[in-house]
Amino acid sequence: MTSNTVSVGIVGASWWADAMHLPALASHPAARTVAICGRNRDNAQQMADTWGIPQVYTDYNEMIDCADLDAIIIATPNNSHYPIAMKAFEKGLHVLCEKPIALTYAQAREMAERAEALNLKTLVPFTYSFMPTARYLKELIDGGYLGQPYHLNMRYYTGFARAGDYLWRFDRKIAGAGIVGDLGSHFLYIAEWLFGEINAITCRLGFSVPRPPLDPTGKAYDILDDSCMLTLEFASGALGLIHCSALCYEDSPFGQTHHMEFHGSAGTLCNFIDWDKIQQIKGARVGEGMIRELPIPEHIWGVARRDTVHNTYRDIFRSEDFMTRGFINGIISDSDLTPNFQHGARIQRLLSAALKSHESERRVLVDSIKA
């Protein structure tokens, strides 16, 4: 790092890198995106031309070895996260890695321990925890709005798996876990963030839509779940339900809806996002009467637009100091980042417990997951 400038390389020339990470880096005065790596050189070059990135690679090892980097962003399929991150740590680079950060808890724990031993900054984009509704829920619950938490119910509905085509997210060797990892990891993180540690999980995975038995190379693969239901037992005694599905018809511009309810001794909170125009918190404390809307405070909104959820989403991650921009700030200021690889490994442990529960058809204690 030179003169409070962070030189960044990005691995993955995907739409997500183009939509979220690269705009955030471009808007940050201290970030310099100096290299991009993609499997398809033409795609990587096109993205480099769009964003003014001087160096293009097709091999992440070469990029990490040859580019003069302070940090990397890993925006690739799940099976590549572990080797890329471990290579980056060898070179003393700070790492932002998409979730889930690995295929197994053993890999994720090793990644977290290595980063901590080297005093390197890490960040895992559990994206939805940065949205205004989530941050306001955190403020309310930490402030005692619910009193003693009793239970939560969280539902993530989307429809990208309805067509039944091959997607790498349903291929075990690439994704590691299906919808329980892809969508469930987001809500597992939020559940612990708001209600505290989860002690036990019971999980059932759904495989409703038939998929091609062969991958695009003609090889057979293990087909993963397209929906999941999780029952959570918290250390506090609270209970929780998480239902995630990629089979729902959701007629919204973003193709998904989020529904959350939280109940406790002192009150109730509800969160609904239609990913079009509605991003709303409702609640009531005991004795206050009917549940009503709780306007999100100005200090939570910041400068984000409020006309559509998607514009809020864009502004939070491209203009405000969350996720990618927050990663750069943490490197410059040498401050702690959240969620980091320790949190990522924790969620990987919960996912391992969920998968074990489904396979064994029983309740699984999270502490029983050792590797």
Side-chain angles (χ1 to χ4, degrees):
M1 191 169 70
T2 305
S3 300
N4 287 335
T5 298
V6 180
S7 295
V8 183
I10 186 162
V11 188
S14 65
W15 72 271
W16 181 251
D18 187 49
M20 287 294 141
H21 297 303
L22 289 170
L25 292 170
S27 71
H28 198 296
R32 293 174 57 247
T33 309
V34 300
I36 186 169
C37 178
R39 289 174 296 180
N40 183 303
R41 186 173 186 88
D42 289 341
N43 289 346
Q45 185 64 60
Q46 184 177 13
M47 202 166 288
D49 292 342
T50 299
W51 292 101
I53 304 171
Q55 302 177 52
V56 178
Y57 298 87
T58 56
D59 182 339
Y60 70 83
N61 288 289
E62 184 182 1
M63 186 188 82
I64 292 171
D65 285 335
C66 298
D68 185 13
L69 302 175
D70 301 308
I72 68 165
I73 292 173
I74 303 173
T76 57
N78 304 348
N79 62 332
S80 63
H81 293 175
Y82 171 81
I84 298 172
M86 296 303 284
K87 172 68 176 182
F89 293 150
E90 287 178 12
K91 292 293 184 176
L93 303 183
H94 308 287
V95 178
L96 182 156
C97 182
E98 290 293 341
K99 57 80 209 164
I101 64 171
L103 294 181
T104 66
Y105 171 53
Q107 286 183 343
R109 185 177 62 186
E110 184 182 356
M111 293 161 73
E113 289 174 350
R114 185 65 176 153
E116 187 171 19
L118 294 171
N119 196 30
L120 293 170
K121 303 300 178 186
T122 60
L123 190 133
V124 184
F126 289 112
T127 319
Y128 303 114
S129 66
F130 298 111
M131 290 295 284
T133 50
R135 287 185 282 119
Y136 191 33
L137 282 171
K138 176 69 170 171
E139 185 174 289
L140 289 167
I141 292 172
D142 284 357
Y145 193 97
L146 294 180
Q148 177 188 345
Y150 287 157
H151 43 75
L152 60 80
N153 188 340
M154 304 170 68
R155 302 179 302 286
Y156 188 141
Y157 295 154
T158 186
F160 68 80
R162 290 169 58 86
D165 50 345
Y166 174 88
L167 296 171
W168 69 259
R169 297 177 187 280
F170 300 108
D171 186 333
R172 186 182 301 277
K173 68 179 179 294
I174 300 175
I179 290 304
V180 70
D182 190 29
L183 307 184
S185 59
H186 282 294
F187 277 14
L188 282 168
Y189 175 74
I190 291 175
E192 282 210 324
W193 188 51
L194 297 179
F195 264 40
E197 190 172 274
I198 296 167
N199 280 353
I201 294 180
T202 305
C203 172
R204 295 302 298 166
L205 304 178
F207 302 82
S208 299
V209 174
R211 303 198 179 278
L214 304 179
D215 67 17
T217 69
K219 295 180 180 178
Y221 67 101
D222 291 335
I223 300 173
L224 295 171
D225 50 287
D226 47 33
S227 65
C228 67
M229 291 191 177
L230 306 172
T231 302
L232 314 176
E233 301 172 38
F234 292 87
S236 66
L239 299 176
L241 295 171
I242 293 178
H243 179 202
C244 298
S245 174
L247 302 178
C248 303
Y249 173 69
E250 296 293 327
D251 188 14
S252 73
F254 206 65
Q256 66 182 28
T257 57
H258 292 177
H259 315 249
M260 303 180 187
E261 294 91 35
F262 308 89
H263 301 270
S265 61
T268 292
L269 288 167
C270 304
N271 173 24
F272 174 62
I273 304 180
D274 71 350
W275 289 96
D276 183 15
K277 300 290 179 59
I278 302 172
Q279 44 189 330
Q280 188 177 74
I281 302 291
K282 292 184 177 181
R285 288 175 61 82
V286 173
E288 290 182 345
M290 297 290 290
I291 290 177
R292 66 193 186 282
E293 184 174 356
L294 304 177
I296 298 170
E298 292 297 319
H299 71 272
I300 297 286
W301 279 115
V303 301
R305 286 170 289 176
R306 311 169 195 188
D307 54 341
T308 69
V309 182
H310 211 161
N311 278 340
T312 299
Y313 188 71
R314 290 186 180 101
D315 292 346
I316 290 295
F317 298 113
R318 297 178 183 180
S319 303
E320 294 211 15
D321 289 332
F322 298 105
M323 207 166 78
T324 310
R325 287 175 56 94
F327 177 57
I328 300 300
N329 290 343
I331 294 170
I332 291 171
S333 63
D334 191 24
S335 57
D336 293 336
L337 292 170
T338 300
N340 57 31
F341 274 23
Q342 291 289 347
H343 299 100
R346 171 64 183 177
I347 298 307
Q348 204 79 43
R349 193 176 196 183
L350 297 179
L351 291 175
S352 292
L355 295 174
K356 184 176 180 181
S357 172
H358 174 79
E359 291 163 1
S360 63
E361 298 185 343
R362 64 180 178 85
R363 169 179 174 266
V364 171
L365 296 174
V366 176
D367 284 349
S368 72
I369 304 299
K370 304 300 183 183

